[in-house]
């Protein structure tokens, strides 16, 4: 019963972040690819995203989208776009939310997902922002606080992209 309580309360994800985020490194000091963990984290993100979406105001801006179909193609094929988009969510979207446990869990899960994706298919770090992510950030900033809510509600778009990408590397 206590184990179920740990899973249900979300403490499992925090523990998982603590133990897997730093713990699984190869002798060279780099993270090792853990494909099974990618699927688990992605599934957990769906649950956390649903909870997060219910805790923020609805997205009432219907004529603007941050995540477009063309961005999906880039997300699936360009590691810089993928990495920058996940970083955008952690740094620009989730960082504006309070420090409640649901928000901390989703930040941790995104960071762990990003680290494991990079370990499975390494991506050379890019110092320049890709044009696709520049456009997303510009629209996001133009919307102000409503951009946060839009980005959170568009997790329904991003999470299937992540799941589809994970299926290509598993």
């Amino acid at each position: 019963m206590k184990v179920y309580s740990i899973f249900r309360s979300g403490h499992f994800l925090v523990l998982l972040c603590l133990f897997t985020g730093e713990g699984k490194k190869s002798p060279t000091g780099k993270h090792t690819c853990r494909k099974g963990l990618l699927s688990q984290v992605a599934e957990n993100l769906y649950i956390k995203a649903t909870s997060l979406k219910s805790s923020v105001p609805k997205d009432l801006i219907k004529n603007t989208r941050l995540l477009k179909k063309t961005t999906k193609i880039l997300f699936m094929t360009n590691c810089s776009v993928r990495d920058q988009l996940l970083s955008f969510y952690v740094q620009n979207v989730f960082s504006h939310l309070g420090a409640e446990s649901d928000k901390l869990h989703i930040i941790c899960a995104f960071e762990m997902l990003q680290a494991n994706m990079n370990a499975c298919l390494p991506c050379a770090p890019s110092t320049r922002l890709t044009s696709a992510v520049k456009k997303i950030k510009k629209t996001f900033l133009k919307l102000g606080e409503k951009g946060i809510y839009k980005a959170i509600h568009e997790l329904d778009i991003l999470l299937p992209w992540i799941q589809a990408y994970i299926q290509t590397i598993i």
Side-chain angles (χ1 to χ4, degrees):
M1 183 71 174
K2 190 171 187 170
V3 171
Y4 175 76
S5 173
I6 290 171
F7 279 102
R8 179 105 172 120
S9 67
H11 289 100
F12 174 71
L13 183 59
V14 172
L15 293 172
L16 190 62
C17 284
L18 292 174
F19 291 114
T20 60
E22 288 298 320
K24 277 291 188 186
K25 291 186 179 179
S26 70
T28 61
K30 295 185 178 182
H31 287 275
T32 56
C33 178
R34 303 186 60 207
K35 293 178 181 180
L37 183 62
L38 281 173
S39 291
Q40 290 173 335
V41 172
E43 288 174 23
N44 199 348
L45 277 172
Y46 278 100
I47 297 164
K48 296 299 175 193
T50 302
S51 174
L52 181 61
K53 283 175 30 182
S54 68
S55 71
V56 299
K58 285 188 178 249
D59 171 24
L60 299 174
I61 303 169
K62 301 299 179 195
N63 59 347
T64 302
R65 281 186 58 183
L66 297 173
L67 304 175
K68 299 177 178 170
K69 289 179 184 177
T70 54
T71 310
K72 178 184 180 182
I73 295 165
L74 292 171
F75 181 88
M76 297 299 286
T77 59
N78 185 319
C79 66
S80 292
V81 170
R82 201 169 32 255
D83 191 55
Q84 290 175 10
L85 188 56
L86 294 176
S87 293
F88 163 76
Y89 265 85
V90 170
Q91 296 167 2
N92 298 97
V93 178
F94 302 140
S95 66
H96 286 89
L97 301 172
E100 296 168 28
S101 64
D102 279 350
K103 289 139 185 138
L104 293 176
H105 292 309
I106 203 162
I107 289 170
C108 183
F110 258 76
E111 289 173 339
M112 188 169 40
L113 178 78
Q114 189 173 18
N116 277 287
M117 284 170 64
N118 286 338
C120 290
L121 286 172
C123 182
S126 174
T127 56
R128 291 183 38 199
L129 210 52
T130 60
S131 62
V133 177
K134 270 186 193 175
K135 288 177 188 175
I136 291 169
K137 276 185 140 181
K138 183 179 177 184
T139 304
F140 174 79
L141 292 171
K142 193 168 98 176
L143 294 173
E145 188 174 304
K146 292 178 183 176
I148 297 166
Y149 309 137
K150 172 151 285 305
I152 289 169
H153 285 279
E154 287 192 9
L155 284 170
D156 286 343
I157 297 168
L158 180 60
L159 293 177
W161 295 1
I162 292 170
Q163 193 70 38
Y165 175 72
I166 289 170
Q167 293 305 313
T168 68
I169 61 174
I170 291 182

